[in-house]
Amino acid sequence: MSQSSDISYTTDELAKLLKISKLTVYDLIKKGELSSYRVGKQMRVDAADLEAYKRRNRMIPEGPLGQRQQPASHDAPSSPPFPRSIVITGQDISLDVLARHLETELPEYRMLRSHIGSMDSLIRMYKGEADLVSTHLLDGDSGEYNVPYIRRLLVGMPHLVVNLLARSAGLFVAEGNPHGITCWADLARPGMRIANREQGAGARVLLDEQLRLHRIPQEGLLGYGKTLTNHLSVAAMVASGEADVGVGTAKAASIVEGVSFIPLIQERYDLVMLKRPDNSPWIEAVLRILRSDSFKRELRAIAAYDLSHTGEIMAEA
């Protein structure tokens, strides 16, 4: 047995080895070009399968008479195609619950989780790199969530927008709210320090829309240009006293000690799926799961989600 037979790589390690993005690794797995398996919540690829992928994608050398040599017979695929993967994007824990239900109902599919923001998720879907996208993007002018962005980004691509849940969003402040912050307008106070999210995240879009609507200049917020990649990091920065305020969800505030939460908006968290014939079987499974009592019971046990519209079709194109 070769020494490499016991070596395997995570998707992060593969991305570094191949000098590609993690989502490109997911795309290779999704297309069956890289064989993978799951260990707990983590996808892994054996070193032997990585080498096989490299061999298949190397340039085929020319023979002595200038003819192209054929790949060795042992490189030809002899096993059945790998199971199709479904790339699910977003950070809310409800997506992990959904992925687990889908794995049970669709054992022939492999679920891959990508923890990226709402806008990046839609862009990845447009590029064909994501299948089941979650989004919570507020359009400040209309007050509508998600659909205005989806229609602009997925032009000419038939899609389905289905509600996953609604959740309370607002401001993280230090325990006891020492600065007496009560609303978005309070962000205009001189010297206010913010823990911000990355561009494209739903929380960042919510903040930017509120700053625009309240005519608060971004440069007036200290720390606006320094970003974090998840709600928990933002809440932790406020709890530590490094920031006075941050935008996030009630669930994150309940996890981080030393943080109080000021609810300001009920945001709609939707799922987006492309209406293609090969997607039909798993789209139907998603709808069944979302509308099931067992799925909703599990979500209610996790957080104070509003599930009154879960499984309802919000838009279709």
Side-chain angles (χ1 to χ4, degrees), residues 57-277:
N57 286 275
R58 285 194 182 106
M59 291 293 292
I60 301 172
E62 291 188 348
L65 299 178
Q67 297 177 335
R68 302 291 283 178
Q69 293 180 341
Q70 296 301 314
S73 59
H74 63 268
D75 284 338
S78 57
S79 57
F82 302 126
R84 172 152 179 218
S85 298
I86 299 174
V87 177
I88 305 172
T89 70
Q91 297 179 344
D92 196 89
I93 193 172
S94 59
L95 297 165
D96 298 312
V97 176
L98 176 59
R100 185 158 39 78
H101 279 259
L102 282 169
E103 285 176 335
T104 300
E105 186 155 337
L106 300 171
E108 68 274 23
Y109 286 82
R110 179 183 290 121
M111 304 301 147
L112 301 176
R113 288 282 287 112
S114 177
H115 294 80
I116 59 174
S118 296
M119 193 73 77
D120 285 344
S121 294
L122 290 172
I123 292 170
R124 295 293 182 178
M125 173 167 274
Y126 179 79
K127 291 180 177 179
E129 298 173 353
D131 301 294
L132 184 55
V133 159
S134 67
T135 178
H136 55 109
L137 296 168
L138 173 68
D139 178 64
D141 293 323
S142 66
E144 187 175 5
Y145 263 94
N146 303 321
V147 175
Y149 294 91
I150 294 166
R151 285 178 176 161
R152 285 197 293 266
L153 286 169
L154 301 183
V155 177
M157 303 176 75
H159 57 267
L160 193 66
V161 183
V162 182
N163 181 245
L164 175 59
L165 52 87
R167 63 186 188 182
S168 183
L171 298 174
F172 299 136
V173 296
E175 194 169 19
N177 194 5
H179 297 283
I181 296 169
T182 60
C183 60
W184 298 109
D186 289 336
L187 298 180
R189 294 179 187 174
M192 190 65 65
R193 300 172 302 158
I194 192 163
N196 205 0
R197 286 292 303 278
E198 77 280 12
Q199 286 186 327
R204 172 65 172 266
V205 172
L206 174 59
L207 171 66
D208 287 345
E209 286 291 79
Q210 295 300 332
L211 294 179
R212 180 177 67 84
L213 293 171
H214 290 84
R215 294 183 171 83
I216 301 172
Q218 297 172 353
E219 55 270 21
L221 281 170
L222 302 178
Y224 177 88
K226 184 179 179 181
T227 60
L228 301 164
T229 58
N230 57 73
H231 292 303
L232 293 178
S233 296
V234 172
M237 194 168 177
V238 173
S240 69
E242 297 176 74
D244 301 316
V245 67
V247 177
T249 63
K251 176 63 177 175
S254 70
I255 295 172
V256 178
E257 188 176 351
V259 167
S260 295
F261 179 70
I262 301 167
L264 294 176
I265 194 168
Q266 191 79 346
E267 63 177 10
R268 206 178 80 206
Y269 203 76
D270 290 336
L271 299 175
V272 189
M273 299 165 279
L274 294 183
K275 290 164 51 180
R276 297 194 315 227

